[in-house]
Amino acid sequence: MTVVLETAEDFGLALRTTREAAGRTLRDVADVTKLGVRTLEALEKNQIDRLPPGIFRRAVVRAYAKEVGLDPEDT
């Protein structure tokens, strides 16, 4: 699946929309990725400063993307 973003603010919305379209809850994604629901909520709300620093941010995005069916590299 490809997600087209118009602005950086669309990033979290695109992730949430993709997750919901797949019929997944935040709890579903959290259970599989071993990431906290609060971390995933922050990602969907574009609150990047609430994510772990450094390379962990990239890992969070990649894990989320993979779990909802997006290409982790493109995301």
Side-chain angles (χ1 to χ4, degrees):
M1 176 178 229
T2 302
V3 177
V4 178
L5 304 175
E6 297 296 324
T7 67
E9 290 77 32
D10 291 341
F11 181 74
L13 176 61
L15 293 176
R16 189 183 86 228
T17 301
T18 302
R19 174 183 57 77
E20 290 173 346
R24 307 290 301 280
T25 66
L26 278 174
R27 173 52 51 203
D28 294 337
V29 176
D31 288 346
V32 174
T33 62
K34 306 300 182 210
L35 297 167
V37 170
R38 288 184 181 173
T39 298
L40 299 176
E41 285 174 337
L43 185 59
E44 288 187 353
K45 293 177 181 178
N46 294 312
Q47 297 172 338
I48 303 303
D49 59 317
R50 290 183 46 204
L51 299 178
I55 63 171
F56 296 107
R57 285 183 182 170
R58 182 176 176 151
V60 167
V61 173
R62 290 175 58 83
Y64 183 108
K66 182 178 176 185
E67 189 54 33
V68 298
L70 295 172
D71 182 329
E73 290 299 318
D74 289 342
T75 305

